[in-house]
Amino acid sequence: MKCNKMTMISNSDGATGEDFRILFKMDISMTYPNSVTIEEDSDTGSSSDSIKETGHTNQESQCPDTSAIGKKKLPPKATIGVPGKKRRLTSEVWDYFNIIPKKDPNEELKCQCKKCGNEYSAESKSGTGNLHRHIKKCVKMTTKDIGQYLITSDKGALGTRNAQFSQDKFRELLVHAIVRHELPFSFVEYEGIKNVLTYLEPQIKHITRNTAKSDIKKLHAREINRLGSELRGCPSRICLTSDAWTSIVTDGYLSLTAHYIDSNWLLQKKILNFSYMPPPHNGVALAEKIYSLASSWGIEKKLFSITLDNASANDSCVAILKNQLKLKNSLVCDGVLFHVRCCAHILNLIVQDGLKEIDKSVELIRECVKYVKGSQTRKLRFTECVTQTSLDSKKALVQDVPTRWNSTYRMLSSALYYRLAFCHLQLSDSNFRCCPSLEEWGRVEKICSFLQVFYEATNAFSGSKYPTSNLYFPQVFKIQLKLSEECKSSDDFMKRIGSQMFVKFNKYWSEFNLLLAIAVVFDPRYKFQFIEFSYNKLYGPGSNELVKIRNALFDVYNEYVRTFNISGASSSCSRGSNEVYSHGAKDQEDNQSFDVLEDL
């Protein structure tokens, strides 16, 4: 009967779809009380064609269509919780927005973007067009997964940032790479490089070699201004190192390097200039060039010392520089400590003199190494000899460069290690005829042990990431002590070598810069007791050399007292008051706490 009523209403000409929906809902509720719930579509507002069972009844449906609808079930959907009304959210925009629960029933229903957090109206009357538009323009919606982010690390913490390309940053990094890796300006025009960069960033604008050159000049100007400000504001004095160099096309160049302690007490090494040096390369021209370069940086009044090699032109260069700086009253102790000779260069001259005595033995070792390295067959044969003598084949067999004595020492050291292998190779290979005799091997062994002291000193002096002035005196003391012992040796061969090297040693180090001895006093491992111990060992107690160093130490102290006007400091520290440092010198002679004395 009710089905007939529904049929009559649906077929009436004056009834609308909305009237049908209301009457149908009322009719079903009267027939099946508390048995069904009608769900409405969230977007269209029309009733859903699903009726969900919420209870049971003993009455059978008189309308087949209604019972069929009551048995139909849909999967759960997201809904908006409006009292007395449930709407399913079927639009795809709700995958990107969250509904904000209402605190007041009268306030407007809103939703929030899951990515950026922006809020928009979620009322059905507002529709979803504004939500669709936000999804298209939302910045954080453009990256779908974390794999498209660039991961950056800052002190161990990971962060994320969007991959936004900057043309200015690209050009800055490109010129830094050219400078750091010494690349040609044409590097930016290589087709292969341009293809790689275009693949990584399609929006990139390639630059030419002239643009790269211009950018590097701008970078150079910025760095000069920054370094100049740092040098002029440096609280300490600055030590210079200079050397001349001639290119393969005979063009002369001069380098100038600054060493100083910055405001953070860190050792800094900066190459100030590498400039063209026109002829002549005499003392006057070198002095004018160095002084002009120092003046261009504004540090001519902050110089402490300059280190040069032992070329004769450098002696006259230093004399002229000292006169120029004295006019401005900018030297410590009136320039007595200004000139420092290159220690590594002096060592090279001394050792080269000693190597002349064993030219024959060294030449035989050099020929042995050349023979082994002459072909792959000889290398394999020598490796077999090394295996048969139970030696380690991983140790390299070094071939020297005759102009560098430290490479000669390494060659002799490696040849001595493979001594048995060379002897075995002589027996198995009839073409190998340059193997040294037993007497020559003995000479090589002695000279190698003797040169080890010089090799260790050269390595210590050649460091660039740590101070070396405090290492000078201990290393030179070991060398001088070794030469003195060899001059008194009973072996005529070693005595001849030691005597010849000692003459060269006295030529350069009899009047060495006292500043290098003062640096040892400030080293807590040595202090003044080590100076006393060394000179007592070499010259006996109360030597004039020890007195000179003590006087120079107090002269430097008084100089700094006058410069900085230290209040309360005893600027009248007399040289006679330094006897406090002389006590206990004899007790220090047997002290084994000094690293330099471990091998003596």
Side-chain angles (χ1 to χ4, degrees):
M1 178 178 181
K2 295 185 184 296
C3 289
N4 294 334
K5 180 180 177 180
M6 298 297 296
T7 303
M8 291 172 60
I9 293 175
S10 64
N11 293 333
S12 64
D13 295 333
T16 64
E18 182 66 20
D19 295 334
F20 172 76
R21 183 181 67 80
I22 296 174
L23 292 176
F24 179 76
K25 181 177 179 181
M26 294 174 59
D27 189 44
I28 294 298
S29 301
M30 294 174 59
T31 308
Y32 305 102
N34 300 326
S35 61
V36 296
T37 300
I38 302 241
E39 295 181 347
E40 298 181 353
D41 195 304
S42 59
D43 292 333
T44 60
S46 60
S47 61
S48 174
D49 60 348
S50 62
I51 301 178
K52 184 178 181 180
E53 292 186 4
T54 58
H56 64 276
T57 177
N58 294 328
Q59 300 180 2
E60 295 183 359
S61 174
Q62 299 180 10
C63 180
D65 296 338
T66 303
S67 62
I69 293 174
K71 293 180 181 180
K72 185 178 180 181
K73 295 184 180 180
L74 293 175
K77 284 274 189 176
T79 60
I80 299 180
V82 180
K85 196 175 186 181
K86 292 184 179 180
R87 292 192 306 159
R88 292 188 310 163
L89 305 179
T90 58
S91 177
E92 62 182 6
V93 300
W94 301 114
D95 293 335
Y96 305 95
F97 290 88
N98 290 325
I99 301 298
I100 302 176
K102 291 202 282 186
K103 298 180 180 179
D104 186 356
N106 297 325
E107 72 179 0
E108 183 182 15
L109 186 64
K110 292 186 177 183
C111 60
Q112 185 180 45
C113 177
K114 294 181 180 180
K115 297 290 185 179
C116 65
N118 291 347
E119 295 182 0
Y120 295 91
S121 174
E123 296 288 349
S124 60
K125 62 182 180 180
S126 301
T128 59
N130 59 337
L131 304 183
H132 280 287
R133 287 190 295 272
H134 173 76
I135 292 174
K136 294 179 180 180
K137 68 179 182 179
C138 181
V139 176
K140 295 188 177 181
M141 288 286 185
T142 58
T143 303
K144 299 299 182 181
D145 56 61
I146 197 65
Q148 297 179 3
Y149 280 90
L150 295 179
I151 307 299
T152 59
S153 177
D154 184 13
K155 296 181 180 180
L158 290 179
T160 59
R161 62 178 175 87
N162 286 330
Q164 297 181 354
F165 175 75
S166 171
Q167 181 71 20
D168 294 336
K169 186 65 176 178
F170 160 72
R171 288 175 60 174
E172 179 185 352
L173 294 175
L174 191 60
V175 297
H176 274 281
I178 292 174
V179 173
R180 178 175 297 180
H181 302 292
E182 301 178 0
L183 300 173
F185 294 145
S186 59
F187 171 79
V188 298
E189 298 179 349
Y190 292 169
E191 287 298 327
I193 297 299
K194 293 170 69 174
N195 292 338
V196 171
L197 297 177
T198 304
Y199 171 75
L200 294 176
E201 179 51 61
Q203 300 179 6
I204 196 170
K205 296 179 181 179
H206 297 286
I207 62 177
T208 63
R209 67 182 70 189
N210 293 328
T211 305
K213 178 182 177 180
S214 176
D215 288 348
I216 290 177
K217 285 185 175 180
K218 294 178 182 178
L219 174 64
H220 181 255
R222 290 196 303 269
E223 289 298 317
I224 284 180
N225 293 332
R226 182 193 63 78
L227 181 57
S229 300
E230 182 179 345
L231 291 173
R232 290 187 292 270
C234 176
S236 66
R237 284 188 172 261
I238 299 171
C239 299
L240 296 180
T241 301
S242 181
D243 196 9
W245 175 76
T246 303
S247 68
I248 194 172
V249 292
T250 68
D251 289 334
Y253 293 89
L254 185 135
S255 65
L256 191 67
T257 307
H259 300 263
Y260 60 96
I261 304 295
D262 62 11
S263 56
N264 296 322
W265 284 91
L266 296 176
L267 175 64
Q268 299 291 341
K269 173 190 174 183
K270 303 294 183 181
I271 299 177
L272 303 184
N273 297 93
F274 188 85
S275 57
Y276 175 69
M277 181 64 191
H281 296 170
N282 53 27
V284 177
L286 291 173
E288 291 179 355
K289 185 69 173 181
I290 294 175
Y291 186 80
S292 63
L293 292 177
S295 299
S296 66
W297 289 97
I299 60 174
E300 69 276 9
K301 293 184 179 180
K302 303 188 66 174
L303 298 181
F304 185 72
S305 67
I306 184 169
T307 302
L308 303 169
D309 60 22
N310 294 283
S312 58
N314 289 333
D315 294 335
S316 58
C317 170
V318 170
I320 297 173
L321 280 176
K322 287 170 65 175
N323 291 333
Q324 290 177 317
L325 296 175
K326 282 180 182 179
L327 296 176
K328 296 189 176 184
N329 196 24
S330 58
L331 290 178
V332 177
C333 296
D334 202 29
V336 175
L337 308 175
F338 182 66
H339 185 201
V340 180
R341 298 182 183 273
C342 179
C343 303
H345 186 257
I346 294 175
L347 279 179
N348 183 62
L349 295 177
I350 293 174
V351 177
Q352 289 290 359
D353 244 24
L355 288 177
K356 292 178 182 178
E357 293 294 327
I358 55 168
D359 277 344
K360 183 179 179 181
S361 302
V362 173
E363 188 62 33
L364 285 175
I365 297 297
R366 187 178 293 122
E367 291 299 324
C368 290
V369 176
K370 287 183 179 179
Y371 179 84
V372 171
K373 291 179 173 288
S375 67
Q376 188 66 25
T377 304
R378 294 175 184 176
K379 290 181 181 179
L380 294 176
R381 190 175 299 168
F382 182 75
T383 303
E384 293 176 359
C385 295
V386 170
T387 305
Q388 293 175 2
T389 52
S390 301
L391 296 175
D392 185 9
S393 60
K394 295 182 180 179
K395 186 176 178 68
L397 187 62
V398 180
Q399 184 172 350
D400 73 329
V401 179
T403 56
R404 298 181 63 88
W405 76 267
N406 50 352
S407 65
T408 303
Y409 166 78
R410 291 197 299 270
M411 180 188 69
L412 298 178
S413 178
S414 63
L416 283 173
Y417 179 80
Y418 290 118
R419 177 177 176 176
L420 294 178
F422 279 117
C423 294
H424 195 278
L425 181 64
Q426 184 182 20
L427 298 175
S428 60
D429 188 354
S430 59
N431 294 324
F432 181 59
R433 302 173 183 176
C434 54
C435 184
S437 63
L438 293 178
E439 182 181 357
E440 290 167 338
W441 277 115
R443 287 186 178 184
V444 171
E445 188 173 0
K446 290 179 181 179
I447 196 64
C448 188
S449 176
F450 176 66
L451 292 179
Q452 184 177 0
V453 178
F454 295 87
Y455 180 75
E456 292 174 354
T458 301
N459 288 340
F461 292 158
S462 302
S464 60
K465 296 184 178 180
Y466 56 85
T468 56
S469 58
N470 60 318
L471 304 177
Y472 165 84
F473 192 87
Q475 296 294 337
V476 171
F477 166 68
K478 289 172 60 176
I479 292 174
Q480 188 170 0
L481 192 61
K482 187 70 173 178
L483 289 175
S484 300
E485 292 176 354
E486 295 300 335
C487 289
K488 301 175 184 178
S489 175
S490 58
D491 190 334
D492 293 338
F493 172 71
M494 295 305 301
K495 184 177 181 179
R496 187 170 62 254
I497 294 177
S499 300
Q500 187 166 347
M501 295 176 70
F502 198 75
V503 172
K504 185 74 73 172
F505 178 89
N506 286 330
K507 176 181 178 181
Y508 292 108
W509 271 325
S510 59
E511 295 292 337
F512 70 95
N513 194 312
L514 300 179
L515 184 64
L516 299 173
I518 294 174
V520 181
V521 179
F522 293 102
D523 192 329
R525 297 172 297 178
Y526 302 109
K527 297 189 177 180
F528 195 79
Q529 285 82 355
F530 180 77
I531 303 293
E532 290 182 311
F533 166 77
S534 302
Y535 277 99
N536 291 340
K537 189 83 171 177
L538 294 172
Y539 305 110
S543 61
N544 293 330
E545 288 78 4
L546 182 62
V547 175
K548 289 170 59 177
I549 292 178
R550 184 184 288 118
N551 293 340
L553 176 63
F554 282 94
D555 285 342
V556 173
Y557 171 75
N558 291 329
E559 178 78 20
Y560 275 87
V561 169
R562 289 191 299 268
T563 302
F564 295 99
N565 295 322
I566 302 176
S567 60
S570 178
S571 60
S572 61
C573 282
S574 63
R575 295 170 181 173
S577 64
N578 51 34
E579 282 82 7
V580 294
Y581 291 97
S582 62
H583 71 280
K586 294 183 179 180
D587 296 336
Q588 295 294 330
E589 293 186 7
D590 297 328
N591 192 344
Q592 298 300 320
S593 61
F594 304 114
D595 296 338
V596 70
L597 304 179
E598 290 181 355
D599 299 330
L600 298 180

